Amino acid sequence: KTSGRGHKGQGQRTGKPRPGFEGGQAPLYLRVRKYGFTNARFRTRYAEVNLADVQRLVDARRLDAARPITVKSLVDAGAVRRTRVAHGVKLLSRGGAHLRTPLTIEVSRASAAAAAAVRAAGGHVHLVYYNALGLRALLQPERFEHRYLPRFCSVPPGAAAAGMIHPSEAPSFAHLPQRYRDHVYVRNEPPEFVAGLRAAAAADADSKHA
């Protein structure tokens, strides 16, 4: 009758209890004291890009050396995956000895050797501050196509002390689409200007849904 199982209750049923289950009583991992603490899950993580990769993409004409190289252009060129850009991009110096093109690079962080190699080639490195929402607006502008674009936040004092600048102060500001310059980066605008922008955006949205 038991098909060879030979047990009652839990033993005669298909499947096993999950590891650590002790029949309903408090398991061992809840009975023992916990020690230690770590902030690893809150650590700032940067996607790393080496100068060798930047020069290779410039040679392949996937990066335009005549324009500032931003985080978005690095993602679009395939230098780094967008899903790995959690807090920004850090520029490293591997292959810096072979960098021969003067470049203007805008990243979140850069090693001292990488910045020196870029300057030796006649270029410049700018550290631009982005928070999570600012990175989302920069890398995925299509997500804000029918919404009011968020403004980039101001640079915190600690980041400013480290040499980071606001996106509106970066060289790539002049190359951004007009929609970005009007809606995102204009700071200290008068209230009537903001009201006019919101009214124009609402009218545009109504015309598209009509």
Side-chain angles (χ1 to χ4, degrees), residues 53-65 69 72-80:
D53 300 326
V54 175
Q55 184 63 57
R56 175 177 55 84
L57 293 172
V58 169
D59 294 340
R61 297 186 178 181
R62 295 171 64 179
L63 284 175
D64 187 1
I69 297 176
K72 179 171 176 55
S73 58
L74 289 173
V75 171
D76 293 343
V80 62

Side-chain angles (χ1 to χ4, degrees), residues 65-150:
R67 304 184 65 170
I69 297 176
T70 63
V71 175
K72 179 171 176 55
S73 58
L74 289 173
V75 171
D76 293 343
V80 62
R81 298 178 61 180
R82 181 182 57 81
T83 54
R84 298 181 63 90
V85 186
H87 299 98
V89 173
K90 182 174 183 178
L91 186 66
L92 300 181
S93 62
R94 191 180 71 182
H98 305 287
L99 184 68
R100 57 187 180 276
T101 307
L103 302 172
T104 300
I105 304 178
E106 300 176 10
V107 289
S108 304
R109 292 282 192 230
S111 65
V118 173
R119 288 193 294 267
H124 302 277
V125 175
H126 300 273
L127 305 183
V128 185
Y129 178 80
Y130 299 100
N131 63 349
L133 183 60
L135 275 175
R136 195 181 313 152
L138 178 70
L139 299 179
Q140 298 177 283
E142 65 277 2
R143 298 184 61 176
F144 301 91
E145 182 177 357
H146 302 294
R147 292 186 290 170
Y148 190 80
L149 279 171

